[in-house]
Amino acid sequence: MTKLDRTDTEIQFDSGDSFCAATVYRPAGPGPHPMIVMGHGLGSVRQMRMPAYAERFVAAGYSCLLFDYRHFGGSGGVPRQLLDIDRQLQDWTSAVEFARTLPGVDSDRIVLWGTSFGGGHVLVTAARDPRIAAVIAQCPFVDGPSSARASNRVSAAKVTVRAVRDLIAARRGRPPVMVASAGRPGDAALMAAPDCYDGYLHLVPEGVPFENQVAARFGWHITMHRPIKDAPKIVAPTFFAICANDTVAPAVAAQRAAAATPRGEARLYNVGHFDIYVGDAFERAIMDQIAFLQLHVPTGTLA
């Protein structure tokens, strides 16, 4: 491990056929502390505003593990920019298993925090692991058909064409055909509402290597992905931070998922999908999330 100037540590852990790059944040004191395992959304990397959340969680007494999915960011995996749902869910399982082995971590108080597409992943992961202590799903993608109905039709048609080309390329052993993660209305992009392009790229810190594209085959699989089906199986208390004006992960679907979760609770914010990461919306969301954690996985430390 390489020690950094702050309270974080750059590490990696094994997952499947490769590894995930990660950052561990630790609060002061010997612990054991609860650990929040944190993963991002569609095509994103851990530097995209996740440290801002982690720093506030650490101030409240929680350790945090932020990781990149395989094929993205600092993680291994080829081809690059391959967004495979099953592989990402495997990365979540690997991250949780790794977190439980870390010194100073209470292995019985592991919390899942996922945003956007990762917000759906945490629901599936928690449904599979009854030891999870609590879950936070922020602007979560919970229902592929609902998101498909809300998408720009011209963009969706263009993505479908590229997805078919990419599936054919994969069968022939050729490099992936790419599609933009975020674009403007009418672009061949997975997210193409008016607020997507600027909102998404605004989250990328200056100087962080980043590619606004993924293998297009994902456009075929995303419409059939439905984490909402796993919500009734979750035994942990689960907080849904829902954006009322969400153009990517419709609020109505997220509210249905919250209602279907046995110990689910929801908070609605009058903002768009990308607004919750910054400014006043971020401040409201992070305070609500810390209050939820202190209630269900208390540390005795106030933020």
Side-chain angles (χ1 to χ4, degrees), residues 52-124:
Y53 290 86
E55 289 167 3
R56 297 289 286 273
F57 291 142
V58 167
Y62 299 90
S63 293
C64 296
L65 172 70
L66 290 58
F67 72 95
D68 286 337
Y69 301 108
R70 280 174 292 170
H71 307 278
F72 291 91
S75 296
V78 290
R80 303 304 294 169
Q81 305 301 116
L82 175 65
L83 204 169
D84 182 284
I85 294 169
D86 289 337
R87 291 175 70 82
Q88 291 199 347
L89 288 170
Q90 184 180 39
D91 293 342
W92 272 100
T93 298
S94 299
V96 170
E97 291 175 351
F98 177 73
R100 287 180 171 139
T101 70
L102 290 172
V105 169
D106 186 339
S107 62
D108 291 321
R109 292 196 292 166
I110 300 296
V111 177
L112 305 183
W113 185 98
T115 189
S116 192
F117 205 65
H121 287 335
V122 296
L123 302 182
V124 178

Side-chain angles (χ1 to χ4, degrees), residues 186-243:
D187 288 350
L190 295 168
M191 299 180 289
D195 64 330
C196 288
Y197 183 79
D198 292 335
Y200 183 71
L201 294 182
H202 182 66
L203 302 180
V204 183
E206 184 176 353
V208 172
F210 179 74
E211 296 183 49
N212 179 30
Q213 61 178 7
V214 301
R217 70 197 73 170
F218 176 69
W220 184 267
H221 299 301
I222 189 175
T223 58
M224 297 174 281
H225 185 47
R226 303 193 69 206
I228 192 172
K229 294 190 299 183
D230 290 278
K233 306 171 191 173
I234 301 171
V235 298
T238 304
F239 181 82
F240 290 78
I242 301 171
C243 299

Side-chain angles (χ1 to χ4, degrees), residues 147-158 184-187 189-190 192-194:
S147 291
R149 288 191 293 270
S151 65
N152 180 280
R153 293 187 178 182
V154 174
S155 294
K158 291 179 178 179
R184 297 184 172 87
D187 288 350
L190 295 168

Side-chain angles (χ1 to χ4, degrees), residues 20-41:
C20 292
T23 309
V24 175
Y25 289 73
R26 299 179 185 276
H33 303 286
M35 166 69 83
I36 306 174
V37 179
M38 304 178 66
H40 221 308

